[in-house]
Amino acid sequence: MQSGESRTTRPGPVTRIRVREVSGTAVRDHRDDLATEEPLEIRLLAGRESRTVAITMRTPGVDFELAAGFLHGEGIIAPGGIEAIGYCTDEDLEPEARYNTVTVRLGTTELPDISALERHFVTSSACGVCGTASLDALRDRCAPLGGGPAIEVSPEVVYGMPDTLRKAQGVFGKTGGLHAAGLFTPDGALVAAREDVGRHNAVDKLVGWALLTERLPLDRHVLLVSGRASYEIMQKALAAGIQVVCAVSAPSSLAVTLARDFGMTLVGFLRGERFNIYSGTERIAA
């Protein structure tokens, strides 16, 4: 899919600029690296039908994983439902725009009904629209996670995950401006990590990676996010079968409600050797 990509037009995860740094009475000009933020349009294609389902601001890189993870988290596709995925090659698009548009071809003759999606047509890198209506819709398509394999995580493993994830954040090390999501085994081994300007995009990239490599469901894994635990992140974790979600910051009230309703373990304020358990205490071997 990517053999013909142009290195001169495809955006990368890091953008280099010149800045003026002022420190006390000293002034110097130098180059600085920024986390790239570009729009990504996600299109669905089935038979002869095509439709744009979302436009999100993201950090370029593993765009196919992002698109696949987003569609899976919204309940639009299931494992095995993607026939092909690639960048848009429409000649009427500017070369730069072609690498900001991903087309996902489904193995069906008609597009699925996406009218039930409770979100704006254009999303952003921050968390999208959510509320009680979204929670009710989620109950219609997702079951509680109590039926999966039982996993248990020790506090010592939980304490060590943020440092392990931080060491895997290559782009954050250059820019200092990205969220991260990491997938761990119950004994603390890092399986995969993804970065993005949007915390939920980072999770989509992880889930998309798992979907495209036939690793779903992720019911034997732990998810760690570098920011707060939002409803949308919990929704994506639930759809992927993840039983334990940890966040270095606070959860939202709706994230806690979702975790308790669907039998998920939610850990927040993970800093140093302390954390809060908001739901599912039985999976943390304290």
Side-chain angles (χ1 to χ4, degrees):
M1 297 272 181
Q2 302 182 47
S3 59
E5 292 170 6
S6 170
R7 296 182 182 273
T8 61
T9 58
R10 182 180 178 183
V14 176
T15 300
R16 177 159 289 187
I17 65 168
R18 294 197 63 82
V19 299
R20 174 160 295 180
E21 179 183 330
V22 180
S23 178
T25 59
V27 178
R28 72 184 183 102
D29 294 336
H30 64 92
R31 291 182 177 180
D32 193 24
D33 289 330
L34 302 179
T36 306
E37 185 174 29
E38 292 268 350
L40 180 70
E41 179 180 346
I42 302 173
R43 295 180 179 178
L44 279 181
L45 180 64
R48 296 185 178 182
E49 294 184 277
S50 176
R51 181 172 178 181
T52 295
V53 295
I55 302 173
T56 184
M57 301 303 296
R58 100 298 190 191
T59 298
V62 295
D63 293 326
F64 299 165
E65 293 179 358
L66 173 56
F70 170 82
L71 294 172
H72 180 269
E74 295 298 330
I76 299 174
I77 61 171
I82 295 177
E83 184 176 277
I85 185 168
Y87 289 108
C88 186
T89 57
D90 290 351
E91 294 183 357
D92 58 338
L93 288 179
E94 294 295 326
E96 294 83 0
R98 295 174 188 174
Y99 296 110
N100 285 333
T101 305
V102 168
T103 298
V104 180
R105 177 182 288 277
L106 306 181
T108 59
T109 58
E110 296 182 352
L111 290 175
D113 179 16
I114 60 173
S115 60
L117 283 179
E118 294 289 338
R119 69 164 51 241
H120 287 305
F121 178 73
V122 179
T123 65
S124 71
S125 58
C127 289
V129 177
C130 59
T132 303
S134 294
L135 193 56
D136 289 340
L138 194 60
R139 292 190 182 101
D140 292 336
R141 64 181 178 89
C142 292
L145 296 183
I151 65 172
E152 191 173 72
V153 187
S154 72
E156 289 73 24
V157 165
V158 177
Y159 296 150
M161 290 194 304
D163 186 55
T164 301
L165 180 60
R166 173 65 184 84
K167 292 175 181 177
Q169 291 182 248
V171 180
F172 179 87
K174 295 180 179 179
T175 66
L178 284 181
H179 290 286
L183 197 64
F184 291 80
T185 62
D187 60 3
L190 180 64
V191 177
R194 294 293 184 268
E195 298 177 279
D196 201 276
V197 288
R199 60 178 65 87
H200 62 52
N201 285 346
V203 177
D204 277 336
K205 289 177 178 180
L206 271 184
V207 175
W209 163 79
L211 185 147
L212 295 175
T213 56
E214 300 182 352
R215 297 171 185 260
L216 290 180
L218 298 173
D219 49 5
R220 297 182 182 273
H221 296 81
V222 178
L223 174 67
L224 172 66
V225 294
S226 62
R228 66 185 179 88
S230 66
Y231 163 84
E232 195 160 36
I233 284 177
M234 298 304 295
Q235 168 194 320
K236 296 174 187 298
L238 172 65
I242 299 173
Q243 300 181 50
V244 181
V245 178
C246 301
V248 301
S249 192
S252 68
S253 61
L254 201 60
V256 174
T257 298
L258 188 158
R260 293 179 176 179
D261 283 2
F262 287 90
M264 303 172 71
T265 295
L266 175 57
V267 169
F269 281 117
L270 172 53
R271 298 170 184 177
E273 293 193 357
R274 68 168 299 275
F275 55 81
N276 294 338
I277 307 175
Y278 295 87
S279 174
T281 58
E282 69 277 2
R283 296 191 183 96
I284 306 298

